[in-house]
Amino acid sequence: MTRQKLPIGVQTFAKIRRDHYYVDKTGYAQRLVDEGGTYFLSRPRRFGKSLFLDTLAEMFAGNKALFEGLACYDTWDWDTAYPVVRISFGSGGGSSRAEMDQRTGEILASNERRLGVPEGSGSLPGRLSLLVEAAEARYGQPVVVLVDEYDKPILDNLTDPEAARQMRDGLRYLYGVLKDLDAHLKFVLLTGVSKFSKVNIFSGLNNLNDITIDPRYSAVCGYTDDDVDTVFAPELDGLDRDKIRQWYNGYSWTGQTVYNPYDLLLLFDKRRFAPHWFESGTPKFLVDMLVQRRFHLPDLERLEASSSMLSTFEVDDMSTEALLFQTGYLTVRQTVETVGLPRYVLGFPNMEVRASLTEALLKACSPDPGQAVVRAGRLPDLLAAADFAGIEALFKAHFESIPYNWYARLGRTTGRLDPSSAGTEKDSTAPIARYEGYYSSVFYAFFASLGLDVVPEDASNTGRLDLAVRYAGQVFLFELKVVADQPTGAALQQVKDRHYADKYLADGVPVHQIGIEFSSQARNIVAFEVETVTL
C-alpha cells in the first residue's frame, strides 16, 4: 500500500479524499439517514466530529465523485441534493453573550450567502427559522441542519458560571426553533462534548435520538484496531503494535473500542510515544475541580454511574462522573445490567490518559510540582533494585516538604485535599480520617503517573489491598494506614493476615509485602515494613 499524507488537523472531506489517509465512516452516515432524522452525538475533543459532519454535508450535496469506493457509494441517492445549513462554534463564541450573538449572526450570514437566500433580520432564532424556510423554498427540498461544537461557548466559560449561563440561555433560544421547523427539515445532527440538559434542543425536540452511548455507533468517530491494521498499515513499520494499543486504544461507548485519531496521527508523524492528545488542551479547570472536590484519586480506576448521570451536564450541577466521561478522561469499561436502568463502570481508556491525568493531579496536590515529578521519576529504578530504603526516603522527603497549612485544608471527613479552603495551625491536628484519602491519593498518583501496572484497591476474597504494583519481574503490595502517633505494625500485619500475596505467588516472582504507617501528628511516615515471599 502506498503511503499517503497524514490528515493531521484536516476536517474537510474533499481535501482528505484527494491525497490523505481516510477511514471510511460513510456507512454510519448512511445508517443514520436511513433510520431517523434528528440526532445528537457527544464525543471528546479531537475525535473527528467535524470531519464526520463535513462528510454528511458532501453526501447531502450529492457530490458523488468524492465517494467512489466508499461504503455509501452504491446505496446513497445521488440524484437528489439538499440545502445544508451549517452552524459551528469550533472557533469559540467569545466571553460574553454579546460576543456570542455577534458570532452567531456571522454564521447565519455566511449560510445565507452560500445558499443564495435573502439576508435575514430580527432575532437570531427568527433569522435561523427564516433561513431554513427560504432555503427549502429555493431548492425545493427539505433542509439539512448540521451543528458542530454546539456547546463550545458554554464550555469555554465554565470558570465564569454567570457567563456560561448566559451562553446557555442564548443557545437555548437559537436551537429551540428547530422544534417548530420539523416539517421543513430532512435531517438534523448536533455534535458537542457535553449534553447540557437545560439547552432547549434536548427538551424541545421529542424525537431527538441521542446516539452517544449506543453500541451501533461506538466507532462512529475514532479509529478501530482494524482501521489501524489496514488503512494505516504503511505507517506501522518500526512501531510496537502492542504498545500502540496499550498507549492509545480503549475508548468505548459500550461497543467497539477506538483510538483517538489525533494521538495516532501524531504518533505516525513524530514516531514517538507521547501524550499527544492530553497535551493538546487538557483544561486546568478539570484538574482544579477534582482537587477542590477532594476527589479520591484511586477511584478514577473504577467509578460507577447511571445512564442519566452520564448524559446530564449543567453549569450549576457538574457531576464528576459526567465531566470526566464526556471530556474523554474516563470511558465505559463495563456495563452492569440491573433490574432497572443499566449502570456503567468507568475507568481510564489507556496508558496515555491514566499517566498524564494522574501526573497533573500529583502536581496539583504537591507544593512543589516540579520536585514531585522528579521524585516520581526515580521510582522505577528504586523498584527494579528493590531498594526499599530508597523508596521510604523518597516518600518521607515528599511529605516532609508539605507545609502544615496544606494539611489544614484536608476534608473534614473524607480526608481529601481541598486547596480552596482556609486553614490554621490549630486545624492541622484534625482526626485521623482527614488524612487517609490524601495520603492514598498522593501515593497512588506517584505510581500511576509513571504508567506502571498498578491496581488500586486490589480485591481478593479476604478484603481490598490499597495498592498492587507489578514492575521489573516483581510484585509490590502496599497497605497504608494512618496512626495517631506511634507505629503499630498493623499495616504489614493486615497484608499477611489476609494473605494478599497468595494470588501472586503462582507467578513465581518475588512478592514484596509492604506496610506503611503515617502519623497524623508527625504528618509523615513512621513505619515502613517489608517482608518478601516467594513460592
Side-chain angles (χ1 to χ4, degrees):
M1 182 183 291
T2 304
R3 296 188 70 174
Q4 296 178 279
K5 291 182 180 180
L6 294 166
I8 299 172
V10 180
Q11 300 175 355
T12 305
F13 181 76
K15 181 178 180 179
I16 207 172
R17 287 290 287 160
R18 282 199 296 270
D19 53 5
H20 293 74
Y21 291 108
Y22 174 66
V23 173
D24 188 359
K25 300 294 183 180
T26 64
Y28 291 106
Q30 177 83 63
R31 183 172 187 168
L32 287 173
V33 177
D34 289 345
E35 296 185 357
T38 310
Y39 296 94
F40 171 74
L41 174 67
S42 168
R43 285 295 185 269
R45 59 188 174 84
R46 295 188 180 274
F47 250 89
K49 300 186 295 295
S50 299
L51 176 60
F52 185 66
L53 286 177
D54 196 61
T55 304
L56 278 164
E58 296 287 5
M59 291 172 69
F60 279 113
N63 293 324
K64 182 178 180 179
L66 293 175
F67 294 87
E68 185 174 359
L70 300 183
C72 72
Y73 188 75
D74 295 325
T75 56
W76 188 261
D77 177 12
W78 299 108
D79 294 328
T80 305
Y82 298 88
V84 179
V85 172
R86 304 191 61 174
I87 298 173
S88 174
F89 287 103
S91 60
S95 58
S96 69
R97 173 70 181 276
E99 290 180 2
M100 186 187 75
D101 286 350
Q102 179 179 347
R103 175 62 185 141
T104 304
E106 294 167 352
I107 292 171
L108 295 177
S110 175
N111 278 275
E112 291 159 351
R113 290 192 299 271
R114 178 172 52 81
L115 293 172
V117 300
E119 181 176 340
S121 60
S123 70
L124 294 173
R127 189 172 175 181
L128 174 58
S129 182
L130 290 173
L131 169 61
V132 169
E133 293 173 352
E136 182 188 35
R138 176 174 182 187
Y139 292 91
Q141 295 292 343
V143 177
V144 173
V145 177
L146 304 175
V147 182
D148 192 19
E149 306 271 13
Y150 92 95
D151 56 345
K152 199 168 189 299
I154 309 173
L155 293 174
D156 286 349
N157 290 279
L158 282 179
T159 55
D160 183 351
E162 179 56 35
R165 282 189 288 270
Q166 291 183 18
M167 301 291 194
R168 178 199 65 195
D169 292 343
L171 295 175
R172 172 194 300 164
Y173 298 131
L174 178 68
Y175 301 134
V177 302
L178 295 176
K179 176 183 178 181
D180 295 329
L181 291 171
D182 184 60
H184 306 280
L185 299 174
K186 166 67 177 177
F187 182 86
V188 176
L189 174 60
L190 283 84
T191 70
V193 170
S194 301
K195 183 178 178 181
F196 286 91
S197 59
K198 291 186 179 180
V199 176
N200 198 50
I201 188 69
F202 302 112
S203 58
L205 282 174
N206 296 327
N207 62 337
L208 183 69
N209 185 357
D210 185 351
I211 60 171
T212 298
I213 304 178
D214 188 326
R216 298 171 299 174
Y217 297 103
S218 189
V220 68
C221 293
Y223 300 155
T224 66
D225 259 327
D226 185 62
D227 295 330
V228 176
D229 292 330
T230 55
V231 177
F232 294 102
E235 303 297 327
L236 296 177
D237 187 42
L239 294 172
D240 185 326
R241 185 66 181 86
D242 288 335
K243 190 174 180 180
I244 295 174
R245 189 176 291 108
Q246 181 185 22
W247 263 77
Y248 301 120
N249 193 18
Y251 295 94
S252 172
W253 287 269
T254 75
Q256 191 173 13
T257 61
V258 296
Y259 299 77
N260 181 299
Y262 187 78
D263 268 326
L264 284 192
L265 296 177
L266 266 291
L267 170 67
F268 296 149
D269 179 57
K270 299 181 182 299
R271 315 301 293 180
R272 66 180 179 87
F273 290 88
H276 304 297
W277 175 74
F278 189 90
E279 291 177 348
S280 69
T282 295
K284 182 176 182 294
F285 166 78
L286 173 68
V287 174
D288 289 345
M289 187 209 69
L290 289 173
V291 176
Q292 289 167 7
R293 291 187 178 184
R294 307 184 295 276
F295 192 83
H296 190 226
L297 302 190
D299 290 346
L300 291 169
E301 300 276 359
R302 186 180 176 86
L303 273 182
E304 284 200 23
S306 65
S307 57
S308 62
M309 290 173 66
L310 296 185
S311 63
T312 301
F313 196 75
E314 195 42 62
V315 174
D316 303 309
D317 183 23
M318 293 181 289
S319 77
T320 303
E321 294 85 353
L323 181 63
L324 288 167
F325 171 70
Q326 294 184 15
T327 52
Y329 297 97
L330 295 184
T331 194
V332 177
R333 305 304 299 268
Q334 180 185 357
T335 302
V336 180
E337 298 296 339
T338 64
V339 176
L341 296 174
R343 295 187 65 81
Y344 301 102
V345 178
L346 308 179
F348 292 118
N350 49 47
M351 181 187 293
E352 179 206 11
V353 178
R354 178 199 239 179
S356 300
L357 183 58
T358 51
E359 179 181 295
L361 290 165
L362 174 62
K363 293 177 180 178
C365 290
S366 304
D368 187 341
Q371 187 60 43
V373 173
V374 170
R375 290 191 177 110
R378 294 175 51 207
L379 271 177
D381 289 341
L382 295 173
L383 291 170
D387 183 352
F388 298 109
I391 296 172
E392 178 182 5
L394 183 151
F395 280 104
K396 278 186 172 179
H398 178 75
F399 289 111
E400 181 68 30
S401 70
I402 299 175
Y404 78 85
N405 60 312
W406 275 63
Y407 291 92
R409 302 169 184 171
L410 294 178
R412 298 298 178 184
T413 57
T414 63
R416 297 167 189 172
L417 184 63
D418 180 2
S420 66
S421 61
T424 64
E425 187 168 3
K426 181 178 180 180
D427 292 332
S428 65
T429 60
I432 289 174
R434 289 175 54 189
Y435 296 92
E436 292 175 350
Y438 176 62
Y439 284 128
S440 61
S441 287
V442 172
F443 202 81
Y444 159 80
F446 261 92
F447 291 95
S449 66
L450 297 169
L452 300 181
D453 182 357
V454 301
V455 180
E457 299 184 358
D458 189 20
S460 69
N461 61 351
T462 59
R464 288 183 180 271
L465 176 75
D466 284 328
L467 188 69
V469 179
R470 291 178 182 268
Y471 186 70
Q474 304 171 80
V475 177
F476 303 83
L477 306 180
F478 295 94
E479 183 67 29
L480 314 176
K481 287 192 177 300
V482 176
V483 297
D485 188 13
Q486 298 300 316
T488 66
L492 178 59
Q493 194 61 46
Q494 179 170 313
V495 180
K496 295 160 62 177
D497 289 347
R498 298 190 180 181
H499 304 283
Y500 288 139
D502 287 359
K503 71 178 184 179
Y504 296 99
L505 290 174
D507 295 343
V509 299
V511 179
H512 308 292
Q513 305 173 109
I514 307 167
I516 302 176
E517 296 182 10
F518 298 88
S519 166
S520 60
Q521 293 188 19
R523 307 183 194 94
N524 212 323
I525 295 172
V526 292
F528 194 104
E529 300 179 291
V530 182
E531 286 191 17
T532 300
V533 293
T534 56
L535 186 64

